[in-house]
């Protein structure tokens, strides 16, 4: 038992004995006799309380064996009450004859002795249970935070390879055509790798860094598809130093390119809007849908599923994700309270 805990227990018994001595003496005004009575009950109280505290509480109650705990507690109180009743009767008869009462074997006298011993037990066990519950809640919160951090790392590890896979496909397609754009794309890919190694490991990054990554991604996709896609980007030139989770904006645009251009023979249209109004980031991505849409473009991709999980973990109820899947247009609107 730690030193602080020992002093706590000593202080408890001093205060407890003093209070009950005053209460007992208030009936007759005899403080010496009241103190003697409390001290006579002290040894049995200590035995019962600490047997319960060190044995029954950790081995039964805290292990979920509630019925057994109460059965053993009641049994120990009955036995201790029987013993204490005899001790009180004999000792008081010798030391304070005027305090001697009649009827040693009266049942209610034994019940009274048991309740006198049980009174400090109620306080000690109540405080102990509250203390243990507080510790368990603290431990549970710590484990939950560790679990959330592990899950975030896992989700990020899924996002990065998924994103790089698509980018490498873009470069591969251009290299087959011996395009002069390939070196530029390789340079941009190195930026993505740098971002993946140094920025995505952080829980939050500056919004302007995420926007820079977003613009690079759009340039990569436009280089790949050229005249097949029309992209309109509306992002303010000056952004306040706001922090958001890394790799949170790109997957929505990635989803837009994927589904607007799949099996599309006409020009696909993508609109990307971002603004910050009244401490709220509003991010909107709109893409056209091919006439013969075979696949539902809802949030089924690995990247977008992970984004939603990350938003749930990081923002809980401080974000809103609205998805509108119409016949020819697919819209995602993300709102985050900054």
């Amino acid at each position: 038992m730690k030193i602080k805990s020992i002093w706590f227990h000593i202080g408890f018994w001093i205060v407890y004995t003093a209070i009950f001595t005053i209460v007992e003496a208030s009936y007759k005004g005899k403080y010496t006799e009241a103190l003697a009575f409390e001290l006579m009950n002290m040894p049995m109280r200590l035995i019962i309380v600490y047997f319960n505290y060190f044995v029954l509480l950790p081995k039964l109650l805290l292990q979920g064996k509630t019925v057994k705990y109460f059965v053993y507690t009641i049994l120990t109180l009955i036995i201790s009450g029987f013993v204490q009743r005899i001790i009180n009767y004999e000792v008081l008869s010798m030391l304070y004859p005027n305090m001697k009462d009649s009827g040693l074997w009266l049942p209610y006298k034994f019940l009274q002795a048991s309740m006198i011993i049980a009174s400090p037990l109620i306080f000690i066990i109540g405080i102990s249970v509250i203390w243990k519950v507080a510790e368990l809640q603290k431990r549970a919160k710590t484990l939950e935070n560790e679990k959330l951090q592990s899950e975030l790392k896992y989700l990020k590890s899924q996002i990065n390879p998924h994103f790089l896979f698509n980018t490498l496909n873009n470069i591969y397609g251009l290299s087959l055509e011996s395009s002069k754009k390939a070196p530029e794309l390789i340079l941009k890919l190195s930026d993505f790798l740098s971002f993946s190694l140094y920025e995505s490991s952080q829980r939050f990054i500056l919004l302007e860094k995420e926007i820079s990554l977003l613009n690079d991604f759009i340039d990569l996709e436009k280089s790949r598809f050229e005249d097949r896609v029309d992209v309109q980007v509306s992002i303010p030139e000056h952004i306040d130093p706001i922090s958001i989770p890394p790799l949170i904006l790109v997957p929505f645009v990635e989803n837009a390119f994927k589904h607007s251009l799949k099996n599309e023979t006409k020009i696909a249209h993508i609109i990307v809007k971002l603004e910050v109004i009244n401490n709220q980031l509003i991010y909107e991505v709109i893409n056209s849908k091919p006439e013969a849409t075979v696949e539902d473009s809802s949030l089924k991709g690995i990247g977008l599923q992970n984004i939603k999980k990350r938003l749930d973990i990081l923002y809980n109820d401080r974000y809103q994700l609205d998805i509108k899947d119409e016949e020819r247009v697919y819209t995602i609107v993300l709102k985050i309270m900054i």
Side-chain angles (χ1 to χ4, degrees), residues 19-32 34-35:
I19 291 174
F20 274 80
T21 298
I22 295 171
V23 172
E24 181 72 22
S26 64
Y27 294 103
K28 299 179 180 179
K30 298 179 180 179
Y31 288 92
T32 303
L35 179 59

Side-chain angles (χ1 to χ4, degrees), residues 70-82:
F70 282 108
V71 169
Y72 281 108
T73 298
I74 292 171
L75 283 175
T76 55
L77 287 174
I78 291 173
I79 295 170
S80 63
F82 180 82

Side-chain angles (χ1 to χ4, degrees), residues 288-301:
S288 59
K289 293 171 60 177
E291 292 184 3
T293 303
V294 178
E295 181 183 13
D296 180 15
S297 58
S298 58
L299 284 174
K300 291 182 180 179

Side-chain angles (χ1 to χ4, degrees), residues 4 36 43-44 57 65 77 88 108 111 182 192 232 268 288 333:
K4 287 184 179 180
M44 189 60 69
L57 182 67
K65 302 174 182 178
L77 287 174
N88 289 353
Y108 80 90
L111 178 62
F192 284 127
Q232 299 178 28
S288 59
V333 179

Side-chain angles (χ1 to χ4, degrees), residues 12 54 78 108 135 153 168 171 194 214 227 249 298 337:
F12 170 82
F54 289 111
I78 291 173
Y108 80 90
E135 285 185 349
K153 289 179 181 178
L168 285 170
I171 297 175
S194 175
L214 175 64
D227 296 335
L249 302 180
S298 58
M337 295 302 299

Side-chain angles (χ1 to χ4, degrees), residues 105-138:
W105 304 105
L106 290 175
Y108 80 90
K109 291 290 185 178
F110 290 102
L111 178 62
Q112 185 181 56
S114 297
M115 294 307 297
I116 289 171
I117 295 170
S119 57
L121 179 64
I122 296 171
F123 284 104
I124 289 288
I125 300 306
I127 293 170
S128 299
V129 170
I130 293 172
W131 197 290
K132 293 289 184 184
V133 169
E135 285 185 349
L136 289 173
Q137 288 179 338
K138 184 178 179 181

Side-chain angles (χ1 to χ4, degrees), residues 181-314:
K181 295 178 182 179
E184 180 185 351
L185 297 183
I186 292 174
L187 182 61
K188 288 185 179 292
L189 177 58
S190 70
D191 291 337
F192 284 127
L193 288 172
S194 175
F195 187 95
S196 176
L197 289 172
Y198 301 109
E199 302 292 346
S200 67
S201 61
Q202 301 178 39
R203 191 174 183 183
F204 290 93
I205 62 169
L206 288 174
L207 176 58
E208 62 182 16
K209 290 185 178 181
E210 182 77 4
I211 290 174
S212 177
L213 184 73
L214 175 64
N215 286 329
D216 285 344
F217 176 82
I218 292 173
D219 289 341
L220 281 168
E221 292 293 76
K222 286 169 66 177
S223 296
R224 177 188 175 192
F225 294 106
E226 296 182 339
D227 296 335
R228 288 184 57 199
V229 62
D230 172 46
V231 183
Q232 299 178 28
V233 180
S234 176
I235 299 176
E237 292 184 5
H238 301 288
I239 298 290
D240 291 335
I242 296 168
S243 296
I244 65 169
L247 294 169
I248 208 78
L249 302 180
V250 171
F252 294 109
V253 176
E254 181 183 12
N255 185 71
F257 274 99
K258 175 183 176 182
H259 293 290
S260 63
L261 287 158
K262 188 171 185 178
N263 301 322
E264 179 63 272
T265 56
K266 299 180 180 179
I267 297 177
H269 298 277
I270 298 174
I271 300 174
V272 180
K273 298 179 182 178
L274 187 146
E275 56 185 343
V276 179
I277 303 175
N278 297 328
N279 296 322
Q280 186 180 53
L281 185 149
I282 303 173
Y283 181 55
E284 184 175 6
V285 179
I286 305 170
N287 65 268
S288 59
K289 293 171 60 177
E291 292 184 3
T293 303
V294 178
E295 181 183 13
D296 180 15
S297 58
S298 58
L299 284 174
K300 291 182 180 179
I302 293 175
L304 292 179
Q305 282 184 356
N306 289 343
I307 292 301
K308 191 172 188 313
K309 288 181 182 178
R310 290 177 64 202
L311 289 169
D312 287 336
I313 294 171
L314 294 168

